[in-house]
Amino acid sequence: MRYEFLVGLRYTRSRKRAQGRNRFISFISLVSMLGIALGVAALIVVLSVMNGFQEELRTRILGVASHVQVQSLDGELRAWQQVGEQAGRHPAVMASAPYVQEQGMLSFDDAVRGTMVRGVVPAMEDKVADFGQHMKAGSLAALQAGRFGIVLGRDLALALRVGMGDKVTLIAPQGLVTPAAVLPRVKQFEVVGIFEAGMYEYDSGLALVHLADAQTLYRMGDAVSGVRLKLADLFAAPRVARELVGYIDEPGLMINDWTRSHANFFRAVALEKTMMTLILFLIVGVAAFNIVSTLVMAVQEKYADIAILRTLGASPGSIMTIFVLQGSIIGLVGLLAGLLGGLAIAHNLDVVIPALEAITGATLWNKEVYYINELPSKVLMSDVVSILTVSFSLTLLAAIYPSWRASKVNPAEALRYE
């Protein structure tokens, strides 16, 4: 072992016989290691949660919404069969399904809830959405034209206090004009299914009916609100939406993809991830400043040792290497501890969060606030590598100045009063 490594390791280790200032320096080294470990662990956990949240949010939104929507500018698309056929010619389009989407109000006994009503064709809807995987009771196939069945989100059903077989009243905002007054259109629907997508926005505010029943209730005739498309690659949606203009020759259409329809969600998550990363890197920065303090005090304490090494022939570069190694060892130990702790927590959040809720008695994850009903986590190796690289770079930068000062120690001045 080169003597620089040997001396650097000896300076870093906490010695049982250390007294006074030496012991204080060892304590500061320990605090620096813990600070780096805390910062790295927090970064790994937070970025993993952000990655998981973004992926889970995208999966659940697209399990109910669609990759691409083709709509008419006037709100009623009549030639929807031709639009679906023309869009299906694009090689990236896997399936299409028409839909009617309008607002309504559901009532049962004394409970009343506003909702978004979506008319669908069950056989076609299963090809563009994942409602079949989210059904808790009944099935989407139970929606039959003329039967006036309805499938409710779980939270919506709980709010109305309804179950399978109950009849709810759906009130359409478009009214009937009579000589006496404008009367709302009212129709009873039988609950034939309950779904839980795991996203509060849909579970509490979406009701599915058959396309023909929705057309009858909202007096749309043969028209629909639009056509939903499912793509082979959801990330190609912006490109496919632009290319579909050349495939569909119907005038007066508007083509939207999921990145535009739900842009606010994903922009908010991306911005929050960026800001949390910057804030948590400050923890690592504070720990790096602790390393500066540790090395400055170590240099002051080791003036005589440095002078003796210089008189024995050690070069300024060797002295600088000793203290850079001391700072690097502190950083590496902290990085390793933070890496292990962060990965352990990130992979076991399903255990950690309930344990913290049981200890504190507080609800740490509320699906009404965070849109989904569980805290997801996804560890990306690219994030881990970036965290370790930046953190280790900060520790090296923190060690450079004190080490440079140590290399400039004058042996004669240091040994004058020894």
Side-chain angles (χ1 to χ4, degrees), residues 54-194:
Q54 191 172 24
E55 183 179 41
E56 191 73 14
L57 189 64
R58 181 173 60 241
T59 301
R60 299 199 180 197
I61 285 177
L62 298 182
V64 177
S66 58
H67 296 168
V68 176
Q69 288 184 348
V70 182
Q71 300 168 295
S72 175
L73 293 176
D74 61 4
E76 293 189 0
L77 179 61
R78 302 191 179 280
W80 60 268
Q81 294 93 339
Q82 292 87 336
V83 171
E85 292 175 1
Q86 293 170 359
R89 297 172 187 169
H90 193 288
V93 177
M94 297 176 61
S96 64
Y99 72 96
V100 170
Q101 187 153 305
E102 297 287 347
Q103 293 182 342
M105 182 176 294
L106 289 172
S107 67
F108 181 78
D109 289 340
D110 296 331
V112 178
R113 288 292 185 276
T115 184
M116 184 66 67
V117 180
R118 182 184 296 175
V120 299
V121 179
M124 302 178 72
E125 187 69 13
D126 277 336
K127 298 178 180 179
V128 299
D130 299 329
F131 281 109
Q133 302 176 12
H134 302 309
M135 297 301 296
K136 296 300 180 181
S139 66
L140 198 63
L143 295 177
Q144 299 176 7
R147 180 183 172 183
F148 291 97
I150 190 169
V151 175
L152 303 178
R154 178 178 177 274
D155 292 330
L156 180 59
L158 290 175
L160 292 171
R161 298 187 294 278
V162 299
M164 296 290 294
D166 288 334
K167 293 186 179 295
V168 297
T169 302
L170 177 59
I171 305 171
Q174 297 87 346
L176 296 173
V177 179
T178 67
V182 177
L183 303 177
R185 292 200 296 276
V186 180
K187 181 65 180 177
Q188 275 198 332
F189 284 77
E190 180 184 352
V191 178
V192 296
I194 296 175

Side-chain angles (χ1 to χ4, degrees), residues 351-372:
V351 177
V352 174
I353 296 300
L356 290 177
E357 289 181 339
I359 293 172
T360 61
T363 301
L364 302 180
W365 189 260
N366 189 339
K367 67 178 181 179
E368 297 183 11
V369 177
Y370 300 106
Y371 297 102
I372 56 179

